[in-house]
């Protein structure tokens, strides 16, 4: 069943304050709606109504206002880091955060950055990331990040300010129907209606974001609700009784699937993002290695199976390896775990795994047979169901010839590239060099484009939660703010590296100010080809080379731009620079940016044209 909950119908609004950090009210300029209180009046009332850091008999923070209740609920959920941008309608919540010793707030440069940082925090930690924004433009600026989290099933809780309830629907200053805007891109969202229940709303949103198939939730917080008095105490996150998630698949269906796997001659395990999010990597590893079954991953599933293992075929799909795509095309039994079979993976559905019986394991029944028909649908928690499948196996399939065939495909279609010394630096070489210079548990984040694909293909991922990117939405600009969120979620001894493109980096480079201010140890490699490279590649291949709006006639010197922000800047212009500069940049104890001048003619291959047959991948443009 779906975990989406019915939403109350309402419009969003704000009380007339703008989002300027100096606290100046728009009321002074005559923009305050008639009858609305000024911020100064509200602040005076707040000061009269609140006592500083009050605690109850149990030593817990006692909630005096709805805003206090919001913060207390975050504390009860174990939240230690939140990302956001201050503003008028969310100001009472920020005032309550001022008194919290448990929750650290990271002020981002833009609300989109806050959402992406929270998304990456959830991806690396496995626990919901939290972002805050004010009403109107603050809330709408979160939308890209929320949509990204929804597409990739990342746990995020968004808290948005809203105008007082008596102004909702009046087109008040900075009013937006945030609940209406975000309903299609959240698991659940709430319009907080009372100071007495707002804390429970936040706790429920947190629980739902982390329950079953993870995803984003949102609570819209009218200013009169967060300012209103309450004696409600915080509650720990709890999923509503109406929400049901099936943990185990029916035994008879598991037994039938196991028999199909045992009888197969060419089985493949397809590990999707749900394997990582469901903490099922150990179970998938044990199942595949016990029965000598090759493993392919989706792009969100990178890290679900160690890519240095003999059974690893790495990523399949549009820019997947030739050997992964051959295996998926020729398999007679596809054991797909935690994947939604999106079009970047399947290409044309009719040509995807055409001879396979499909065993589909997924916690969300809505994904079963949505894109690819499942012969054996197994709804349930990935780790649990894979264990069930392992226990039900009557015998191992005879895969010796099949494994040998997959090894032959690896030799026939290796990931390689030409790197003449008299030509510009190849981006693949840079990715490989950084990989060799860092530990296996290094977290890699990316923006979206060619650089993202090179980071997929030429980095060897051996551990889960070390690959963080925008998959389903494909949001350019994701790389840097996600590196910030990943840095704050990762262990102190883990490195965090971001591969970005010049086009993607320009969309969110303002977040460098956050990395510098917080002294976050992140290293950004801008693979600079002075173009939106993937668009240019498609224009050359499918639009007869008409490069409209894909090339940049001028871009800044990103190393100098980094220095202007206060980060360390480096530049790579030829092959001799690469090893030393990579080492120097990684050694910086804080943020650094490396502007890498790469070959502007380099493209991403293999490539399957959109809607094409994965078994007919192109290795050069001439083959498209």
């Amino acid at each position: 069943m779906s975990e989406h909950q019915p939403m109350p119908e309402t419009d969003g609004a704000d009380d007339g304050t703008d989002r300027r950090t100096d606290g100046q009210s728009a009321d002074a300029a005559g923009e305050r709606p008639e009858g609305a209180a000024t911020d100064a009046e509200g602040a005076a009332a707040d000061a009269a109504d609140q006592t500083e850091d009050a605690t109850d008999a149990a030593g817990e923070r006692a909630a005096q206002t709805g805003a206090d209740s919001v913060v207390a609920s975050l504390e009860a959920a174990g939240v230690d880091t939140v990302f956001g941008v201050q503003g008028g309608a969310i100001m009472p919540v920020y005032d309550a955060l001022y008194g919290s010793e448990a929750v650290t707030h990271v002020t981002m440069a833009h609300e989109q950055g806050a959402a992406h940082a929270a998304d990456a925090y959830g991806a690396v930690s496995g626990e919901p990331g939290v972002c805050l924004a004010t009403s109107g433009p603050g809330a709408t600026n979160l939308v890209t990040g929320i949509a990204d989290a929804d597409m990739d099933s990342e746990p995020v809780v968004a808290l948005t300010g809203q105008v007082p309830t008596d102004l909702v629907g009046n087109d008040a200053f900075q009013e937006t129907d945030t609940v209406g805007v975000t309903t299609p891109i959240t698991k659940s969202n709430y319009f907080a209606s009372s100071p007495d229940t707002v804390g429970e709303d936040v706790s429920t949103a947190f629980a739902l974001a982390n329950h079953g198939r993870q995803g984003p939730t949102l609570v819209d917080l009218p200013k009169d609700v967060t300012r209103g008095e309450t004696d409600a105490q915080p509650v720990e996150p709890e999923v509503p009784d109406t929400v049901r998630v099936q943990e185990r698949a029916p035994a008879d269906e598991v037994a039938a699937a196991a028999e199909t796997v045992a009888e197969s001659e060419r089985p493949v395990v397809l590990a999707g993002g749900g394997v990582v999010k469901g903490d099922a990597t150990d179970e998938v590893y044990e199942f595949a290695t016990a029965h000598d079954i090759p493993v392919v991953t989706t792009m969100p599933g990178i890290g679900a199976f160690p890519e240095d293992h003999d059974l690893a075929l790495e990523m399949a799909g549009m820019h997947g390896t030739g050997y992964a795509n051959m295996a998926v095309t020729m398999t007679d039994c596809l054991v797909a775990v935690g994947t939604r079979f999106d079009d970047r993976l399947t290409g044309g559905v009719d040509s995807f795994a055409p001879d396979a019986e499909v065993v589909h394991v997924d916690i969300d029944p809505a994904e079963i047979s949505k894109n690819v028909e499942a012969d054996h649908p197994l709804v349930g928690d990935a780790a649990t169901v894979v264990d069930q499948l392992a226990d039900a196996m009557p015998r191992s399939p005879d895969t010796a010839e099949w494994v040998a065939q997959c090894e032959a495909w690896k030799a026939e279609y290796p990931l390689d590239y030409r790197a003449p010394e008299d030509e510009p630096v190849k981006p693949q070489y840079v990715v490989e060099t950084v990989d060799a210079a860092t530990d296996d548990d290094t977290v890699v984040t990316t923006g979206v484009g060619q650089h993202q694909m090179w980071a997929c293909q030429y980095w060897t991922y051996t551990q889960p939660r070390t690959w963080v990117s925008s998959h389903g939405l494909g949001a350019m600009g994701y790389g840097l703010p996600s590196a910030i969120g990943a840095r704050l979620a990762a262990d102190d001894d883990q490195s965090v590296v971001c591969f970005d493109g010049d086009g993607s980096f320009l969309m969110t480079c303002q977040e460098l100010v956050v990395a510098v201010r917080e002294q976050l140890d992140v290293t950004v490699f801008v693979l600079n080809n002075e173009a939106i490279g993937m668009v240019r590649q498609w224009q050359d291949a499918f639009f007869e080379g008409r490069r409209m709006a894909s090339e940049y006639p001028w871009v800044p010197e990103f190393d100098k731009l980094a220095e202007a922000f206060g980060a360390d800047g480096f530049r790579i212009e030829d092959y001799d620079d690469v090893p030393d500069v990579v080492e120097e940049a990684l050694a910086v104890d804080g943020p650094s940016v490396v502007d890498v001048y790469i070959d502007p003619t380099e493209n991403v291959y293999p490539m399957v044209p959109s809607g094409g047959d994965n078994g007919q991948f192109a290795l050069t443009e001439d083959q498209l």
Side-chain angles (χ1 to χ4, degrees):
M1 62 172 286
S2 172
E3 293 183 60
H4 285 75
Q5 305 297 305
M7 300 299 122
E9 294 185 2
T10 181
D11 292 323
D14 189 285
D15 68 340
T17 35
D18 66 16
R19 299 162 59 227
R20 287 168 286 186
T21 55
D22 61 8
Q24 180 183 358
S25 172
D27 303 343
E31 296 176 353
R32 174 169 57 91
E34 184 177 354
T38 66
D39 273 356
E41 293 166 345
D46 289 347
D49 291 341
Q50 298 180 20
T51 58
E52 184 176 357
D53 294 330
T55 57
D56 61 17
E60 296 178 341
R61 179 189 178 97
Q64 293 86 46
T65 67
D68 288 317
S69 189
V70 168
V71 174
S73 294
L74 294 177
E75 293 172 341
V79 174
D80 58 14
T81 305
V82 298
F83 306 88
V85 178
Q86 185 45 298
I90 197 68
M91 199 173 292
V93 177
Y94 273 85
D95 190 54
L97 275 172
Y98 184 85
S100 175
E101 296 181 359
V103 181
T104 298
H105 179 269
V106 179
T107 301
M108 302 297 289
H110 189 279
E111 291 89 354
Q112 180 182 344
H116 288 329
D119 176 303
Y121 186 96
V124 173
S125 70
E127 297 294 327
V130 180
C131 56
L132 292 83
T134 196
S135 63
T140 58
N141 282 345
L142 288 178
V143 166
T144 296
I146 295 172
D148 183 86
D150 184 57
M151 290 285 279
D152 291 348
S153 300
E154 301 292 3
V156 170
V157 177
L159 305 177
T160 54
Q162 187 54 274
V163 301
T165 52
D166 62 350
L167 293 180
V168 169
N170 289 353
D171 293 331
F173 179 67
Q174 292 189 335
E175 177 185 359
T176 297
D177 178 9
T178 303
V179 167
V181 168
T182 60
T183 292
I185 55 172
T186 53
K187 284 182 68 174
S188 182
N189 61 14
Y190 301 89
F191 182 89
S193 59
S194 168
D196 294 330
T197 58
V198 65
E200 185 177 346
D201 291 339
V202 172
S203 294
T204 301
F206 191 93
L208 285 173
N210 208 29
H211 183 66
R213 180 179 181 174
Q214 294 176 319
T217 59
L218 179 142
V219 184
D220 204 27
L221 303 168
K223 200 167 185 180
D224 58 321
V225 170
T226 53
R227 277 179 166 172
E229 295 182 353
T230 181
D231 57 5
Q233 294 301 305
V235 296
E236 292 187 1
E238 186 174 345
V239 176
D241 293 338
T242 54
V243 175
R244 298 283 186 272
V245 173
Q246 182 173 313
E247 295 289 325
R248 298 177 63 83
D252 58 339
E253 295 178 7
V254 172
E259 184 64 32
T260 295
V261 178
E263 290 180 353
S264 66
E265 297 178 352
R266 304 184 305 278
V268 167
V269 171
L270 176 65
V275 174
V276 177
K277 293 172 179 60
D279 293 323
T281 54
D282 289 344
E283 288 77 7
V284 167
Y285 180 89
E286 291 169 8
F287 179 78
T289 55
H291 301 291
D292 213 24
I293 301 175
V295 179
V296 169
T297 71
T298 67
M299 191 166 80
I302 288 174
F305 190 83
E307 293 182 344
D308 57 355
H309 195 281
D310 288 343
L311 290 172
L313 300 178
E314 302 167 62
M315 181 182 75
M318 179 175 286
H319 292 294
T321 65
Y323 36 92
N325 281 331
M326 288 301 295
V328 169
T329 300
M330 301 303 293
T331 181
D332 63 352
C333 178
L334 187 68
V335 182
V337 185
T339 176
R340 57 188 177 85
F341 290 112
D342 75 294
D343 60 302
R344 290 295 290 270
L345 167 68
T346 64
V349 172
D350 291 343
S351 61
F352 179 78
D355 300 324
E357 284 199 61
V358 176
V359 177
H360 191 181
V361 179
D362 204 286
I363 198 166
D364 186 351
E367 293 300 339
I368 302 292
S369 297
K370 183 180 80 175
N371 294 322
V372 171
E373 190 70 24
D375 299 288
H376 298 281
L378 302 179
V379 177
D381 171 71
T384 301
V385 176
V386 172
D387 265 347
Q388 286 183 271
L389 192 62
D391 291 342
M393 287 288 289
R395 61 193 174 280
S396 292
D398 183 359
T399 63
E401 291 186 12
W402 174 236
V403 170
Q405 176 62 75
C406 291
E407 286 295 323
W409 282 326
K410 285 184 182 181
E412 186 175 359
Y413 305 113
L415 281 176
D416 58 9
Y417 56 96
R418 293 179 62 257
E421 292 186 1
D422 59 347
E423 293 183 7
V425 174
K426 298 295 185 181
Q428 301 95 322
Y429 175 69
V430 176
V431 173
E432 289 179 330
T433 302
V434 180
D435 186 11
T438 53
D439 294 333
D440 287 347
D441 64 352
T442 296
V443 178
V444 176
T445 78
T446 77
V448 170
Q450 289 178 315
H451 65 276
Q452 178 189 32
M453 296 301 108
W454 290 317
C456 285
Q457 295 172 332
Y458 290 92
W459 189 285
T460 302
Y461 297 89
T462 61
Q463 299 182 25
R465 302 191 185 280
T466 57
W467 163 250
V468 181
S469 193
S470 174
H471 305 109
L473 193 67
M476 291 179 64
Y478 181 85
L480 178 56
S482 67
I484 291 170
R487 174 69 278 165
L488 290 167
D491 293 338
D492 291 342
D493 59 353
Q494 281 184 280
S495 298
V496 175
V497 168
C498 171
F499 289 104
D500 222 337
D502 48 304
S504 196
F505 186 70
L506 282 170
M507 291 192 173
T508 54
C509 62
Q510 69 271 12
E511 301 302 340
L512 267 179
V513 74
V514 182
V516 172
R517 183 205 324 124
E518 304 294 333
Q519 273 301 288
L520 300 178
D521 190 7
V522 298
T523 310
V524 182
F525 293 88
V526 180
L527 302 183
N528 184 356
N529 56 10
E530 298 185 350
I532 306 178
M534 190 62 81
V535 173
R536 177 194 52 74
Q537 180 173 339
W538 277 57
Q539 287 173 333
D540 288 349
F542 305 117
F543 292 85
E544 300 178 346
R546 293 187 293 274
R547 297 181 177 182
M548 176 61 187
S550 60
E551 295 179 295
Y552 293 157
W554 181 87
V555 293
E557 296 179 38
F558 293 111
D559 54 331
K560 293 182 179 179
L561 181 66
E563 291 170 355
F565 274 102
D568 283 31
F570 300 88
R571 183 180 302 186
I572 290 175
E573 294 181 316
D574 55 50
Y575 283 103
D576 291 340
D577 297 336
V578 176
D580 290 343
V581 172
V582 166
E583 183 178 347
E584 291 175 27
L586 291 172
V588 171
D589 186 16
S592 59
V593 175
V594 184
D595 191 357
V596 188
Y597 287 75
I598 65 169
D599 187 344
T601 68
E602 192 68 9
N603 286 329
V604 178
Y605 291 102
M607 180 179 181
V608 179
S610 182
D613 182 340
N614 281 351
Q616 300 295 318
F617 52 86
L619 299 176
T620 66
E621 184 175 327
D622 293 340
Q623 297 175 357
L624 287 171

